[in-house]
Amino acid sequence: MLQLQLNRVDYCQVGTTNAKCMKLMPSVQKELQRVVVGDSSGVVQLFAIKQKEPVNIFKSLPSKRITRVELAGKFNDVYDRIFASSLSTVTGYSKKGKQFFSYETNMTEPIRSMSVMGDNLCITGSYVYNCYKNSQESAYYLCPDKINDVICLPLTSADSKLIPILACNDRTLRVLDDSIVLYETEVAGPPSTLALHNRDAGLSGNEIVYGTSDGKVGLLEMNADEPLPKWELANDRRLGGISCLDSYDITSDGILDLLVGREDGTIEVYGYDSMDNPELRYTYNGNEGITSIQGGCIGTPGYDEIVVSTYNGWIFGLTSESFNKELNALPATLSVDKDSSAKMNKLKSELDKLQSQVVKMRNVYQSTLTNPNSLSQLKTFQINNRFELNRDDASYTLSIEAEVPIDNVLLQCDVPIDLLDSEKNSCVVSYSECDENDGNFVLVTYRCQANTTRLDIKIRTIEGQYGMLQAYVTSRIQPKNCLVKQYVIKPLSLHQRTHLIDDKRPINKLKLSGNFSLAEIHSWLYYSIPEIPEKVPAENEIKFYFINTFLGSQLEINYKQNEAIFKSENVSTISILKDVLSKKATDKKVVLNIDLETTPESTLYTLKCIHPMIDYHMLLAKKVHLIDALKELAVNENNSNFLTPEYQEILENAERYKEEYKRSPSHLERLYGMITDLYIDKFKFIGQNVKNKVSLLVEKLDNYELDELIKFFQNS
């Protein structure tokens, strides 16, 4: 397998950037490519790199934040026209900076994504898709869930049919024909970005690569009737979500490689084996979220590189050019050439100028402090934040990235949560005592090291415990100020959308009927369950499927005006929904008729589903507790050959076991808590209060055996 050696070169820094706001202009006659980028200040600029320094070709005036930059051109022509979106406006620039196009769309939502193909302009807001042909609206579609990206398959002729594809938050790709959905297909996670495979949609002209917000990548062949999955990459290393994709032959083997940019700053290069399956060739770990990635040649002729933009506005390259020289090959005395000397002198003068400006402005600020009539104005800063559930380990990841260095982050929550260790954090964590009477269950401070702009925190919630998590982000800029971000923890916080369920499981059924509208019941469910779309779908009867990421139990929801039906094999899920929805109906003064059907077999089925997890984590805890004793025995005997194969295996994999146990230290306690809730809820629905028998259940769990536990449930 070919191993890449790439070196980072920082070119410049612009304002903060959105996803896909940086592109490389096509090369003309093997010239170095130019970089076009749009930032938060509304500036679109095109620059070239000469002697590792950016030289501006053109720069637009500041305006509203740029949300997307695309390159386009006529059919079978060079894509050298620049299109930038901002709010509801799309502006076009020539390669020399002349504005040749400005179109104010009729979008009521800000433009979030855009695709330009020939004389077709496709744009999306949060829920609305519009297509314009020659500045006239030709298609419109209202999506049932949020749209994260849009892409169009290449045209086969100037008059061929446009085929746009929407990446929607409900784990679905929707293929459109004008305003009609041809078909939709489920993907591995919420798709966050789309790209044409090999930049031209592959040999068949209909292959697209998708990336998901939970870090998976896949290839689909979008045929006329149904898609054909080619391959899918799992996120085994639990890296960040995919923010951008591109194809470029960075390995110089004649085959285009897949370039992947992630929200946690990771850059990956995948080559292809003889079966066209991707294999990892290169990884670069940065500390800033990647917003755009492109392959090309912009710095030195003959040296390919991966050009990247980050959320904080850095434009840098990972170049194949080597900057390291052998120490033996260096002369005894080094002489600095004129170019390097001029560059050093320029940097020194810029630093001196900046230092004098800082001193001057600091003196001005200090003088205003003594003036009673002066007003202090805080400098605000922007942060990019996400709070997403990971299906792999049933935990939430809170990602906070600021445009300025972060001093500390205070987390406050009014419900119990577990904070898990994260390898990416180098912060000092301080826990404060909480008074539950004040509504505080968690008060934790993360003190960041110097120049930290990104922080990832892993959190595990408890279903049935719902409330608000607040993050107070304090910057290092003076005078200090703080931004507050709020994240809702919903009653069924560990549930995720899915499109397929097993209908052979024993189920419990909850039916609610009453005088409520479709919008009211939808708002109650939006309050209760993650990934319910904010807007009501345009249907008379709505059906959703969910899966519990911790236990694997299912939930089926079917609701319409005046009626809602819920089915799940986990009686605790039904109990939580019943309590929350009854409370919401009471607040709205709506009388609910509640019909409940429970199946005794469903409780036994749930216990049997929990059993492998308890078995595994009990064995893991036992192995971890044996490690120190086994190591001491091995040291005293100078080897471990006298140990049984089982104990030798524990010693060989000691670090892996410790790391796994460290990631989920309270896993067993959480499972025991779920069994306790299951026990209480099972008998609550048949009118029995068994809370006085919980202590007996705890004894059974301390001496856990599945058969004994089932007997206890049946005989109570």
Side-chain angles (χ1 to χ4, degrees), residues 93-238:
Y93 300 91
S94 69
K95 60 183 179 181
K96 295 184 179 180
K98 180 181 178 182
Q99 181 178 319
F100 67 88
F101 177 78
S102 181
Y103 183 61
E104 181 73 30
T105 68
N106 56 358
M107 291 275 288
T108 56
E109 303 172 336
I111 297 172
R112 295 185 64 197
S113 57
M114 174 175 66
S115 179
V116 185
M117 189 67 64
D119 52 7
N120 297 283
L121 170 65
C122 300
I123 56 175
T124 71
S126 296
Y127 292 89
V128 174
Y129 160 81
N130 276 93
C131 181
Y132 302 89
K133 187 176 180 66
N134 295 322
S135 301
Q136 298 295 319
E137 184 174 323
S138 59
Y140 168 86
Y141 176 67
L142 179 62
C143 191
D145 211 330
K146 282 189 177 179
I147 304 171
N148 296 325
D149 201 3
V150 62
I151 198 168
C152 296
L153 294 179
L155 300 175
T156 55
S157 66
D159 300 324
S160 61
K161 189 75 173 177
L162 185 73
I163 304 177
I165 301 170
L166 305 182
C168 304
N169 210 49
D170 57 356
R171 292 177 165 73
T172 301
L173 298 184
R174 290 180 168 87
V175 181
L176 302 183
D177 179 8
D178 292 333
S179 303
I180 302 171
V181 178
L182 282 178
Y183 62 85
E184 54 187 48
T185 180
E186 183 186 7
V187 292
S192 53
T193 185
L194 300 173
L196 297 177
H197 183 46
N198 290 341
R199 292 190 173 181
D200 60 359
L203 294 175
S204 59
N206 60 357
E207 294 180 348
I208 64 163
V209 185
Y210 66 85
T212 69
S213 60
D214 55 2
K216 300 180 179 71
V217 182
L219 174 65
L220 288 172
E221 185 177 326
M222 310 303 287
N223 297 316
D225 299 324
E226 60 180 2
L228 176 64
K230 291 294 190 73
W231 50 257
E232 180 187 304
L233 291 172
N235 187 14
D236 295 329
R237 294 187 292 161
R238 296 180 181 176

Side-chain angles (χ1 to χ4, degrees), residues 496-526:
Q496 267 190 352
R497 283 276 295 275
T498 187
H499 293 266
L500 295 172
I501 62 170
D502 179 8
D503 56 5
K504 296 180 180 178
R505 299 184 184 184
I507 61 167
N508 306 288
K509 181 179 175 182
L510 172 66
K511 181 179 178 181
L512 302 179
S513 56
N515 188 22
F516 50 79
S517 65
L518 181 63
E520 281 180 319
I521 184 65
H522 182 84
S523 68
W524 300 345
L525 292 174
Y526 176 74

Side-chain angles (χ1 to χ4, degrees), residues 462-473:
I462 301 173
E463 288 208 324
Q465 305 273 1
Y466 54 98
M468 186 71 70
L469 172 67
Q470 298 189 100
Y472 297 79
V473 185

Side-chain angles (χ1 to χ4, degrees), residues 6 22 29 98 122 132 208 302 325 350 432 531 596 665 667 672 703:
L6 302 178
M22 185 273 297
Q29 296 179 349
K98 180 181 178 182
C122 300
Y132 302 89
I208 64 163
K325 295 183 179 180
E350 287 180 356
S432 303
E531 299 192 11
L596 184 65
H667 216 97
Y672 290 165
N703 304 287

Side-chain angles (χ1 to χ4, degrees), residues 285-351:
N285 296 309
N287 54 5
E288 299 177 56
I290 308 300
T291 55
S292 302
I293 188 167
Q294 294 273 285
C297 182
I298 68 168
T300 305
Y303 292 99
D304 295 326
E305 57 189 296
I306 301 171
V307 186
V308 176
S309 69
T310 70
Y311 171 74
N312 283 344
W314 277 107
I315 309 295
F316 69 88
L318 297 174
T319 178
S320 54
E321 183 180 6
S322 177
F323 300 125
N324 298 323
K325 295 183 179 180
E326 292 291 336
L327 203 59
N328 297 332
L330 293 176
T333 57
L334 292 174
S335 59
V336 181
D337 57 46
K338 290 183 179 180
D339 291 339
S340 300
S341 178
K343 191 179 293 185
M344 291 168 61
N345 291 331
K346 182 182 177 182
L347 285 173
K348 286 179 181 178
S349 63
E350 287 180 356
L351 281 173

Side-chain angles (χ1 to χ4, degrees), residues 526-564:
Y526 176 74
Y527 173 85
S528 306
I529 312 174
E531 299 192 11
I532 291 279
E534 186 176 356
K535 292 188 176 182
V536 184
E539 301 169 14
N540 294 328
E541 188 169 346
I542 303 166
K543 181 178 285 189
F544 290 125
Y545 299 120
F546 292 87
I547 187 169
N548 185 315
T549 56
F550 195 84
L551 293 180
S553 60
Q554 300 173 163
L555 172 64
E556 178 184 341
I557 299 176
N558 197 334
Y559 62 99
K560 58 185 178 181
Q561 184 177 352
N562 299 331
E563 184 180 276

